[in-house]
Amino acid sequence: MRSASAPAQPTSADSGAPARRPGGRSARVQSAVYSAVGQLVGAGRRETMTIPEVAELAGVNPTSIYRRWGSIDALLGEVAVAALTQGEPLPDTGTLAEDLAEWAQIIAADIARPKRRAYLRAMVAARQDIVEVCPCWEIRRQHAEQMIARARDRGEPTPSVRQVLDHVIAPLYHHAVFGLDLDSDHASDLVDDVLSMIGVAPRR
């Protein structure tokens, strides 16, 4: 199986070269703040945490957080997106059916983890208004577009990107938010449902 890595999560590593010092410091601050948010979310503080509290735990000045993120809601949203959409490989198995099946399994296994569910709920709790763009959703859209484009190049029948998002990805996140069971059979069934929409027989 060939895999293309998803965007790498920000790192706190610093090369030490003078010309890269500003970027290195920025990465260290981001890593420390992300870690602090993760600790507070893990402690059940997602609805009550404040920027000064995050700053104290991260060992940074609150002004740096306000300047970069503006509000605790924006910070929570960014951390949740980073936690939920980065790090896993994007499958490239040679067929769309297997790509979708493996992708759904990876996502389901990841967001079934207690910490991931907490991050997802934190992002939902931080969202007060209807938005035109949700970064987490847009990243999943881009992933679906890549897999579908490859399948079309191979001459395979393909569902629309919206079908994949609405009938595979959305139900997985729904189950995670509401604490419902997420297992490999459910993820596989969702993929088979989408394949049936375009006349492709279930894989099992």
Side-chain angles (χ1 to χ4, degrees), residues 26-159:
S26 177
R28 287 196 300 273
V29 168
Q30 178 170 286
S31 178
V33 170
Y34 276 24
S35 178
V37 170
Q39 291 180 53
L40 292 170
V41 168
R45 296 290 313 283
R46 64 183 180 274
E47 295 180 1
T48 59
M49 76 174 73
T50 64
I51 284 181
E53 186 177 29
V54 172
E56 182 178 1
L57 189 58
V60 303
N61 193 305
T63 303
S64 298
I65 298 179
Y66 282 115
R67 183 168 56 244
R68 181 162 182 170
W69 286 280
S71 69
I72 193 66
D73 288 351
L75 174 58
L76 278 169
E78 181 177 311
V79 174
V81 169
L84 289 165
T85 60
Q86 298 187 25
E88 80 271 15
L90 187 61
D92 186 3
T93 66
T95 69
L96 180 62
E98 293 304 321
D99 282 355
L100 290 176
E102 187 171 323
W103 189 44
Q105 299 278 356
I106 291 169
I107 293 172
D110 185 59
I111 63 178
R113 297 161 55 192
K115 182 176 288 189
R116 291 296 196 253
R117 288 182 189 259
Y119 274 125
L120 182 56
R121 289 169 183 149
M123 183 172 65
V124 172
R127 184 64 48 76
Q128 299 295 326
D129 302 313
I130 300 298
V131 296
E132 294 184 3
V133 176
C134 171
C136 182
W137 198 246
E138 286 306 305
I139 290 172
R140 294 305 184 197
R141 181 189 302 279
Q142 292 168 17
H143 290 171
E145 287 173 347
Q146 290 178 45
M147 287 186 284
I148 289 172
R150 289 197 307 244
R152 286 175 178 161
D153 290 342
R154 292 190 297 260
E156 294 181 63
T158 60

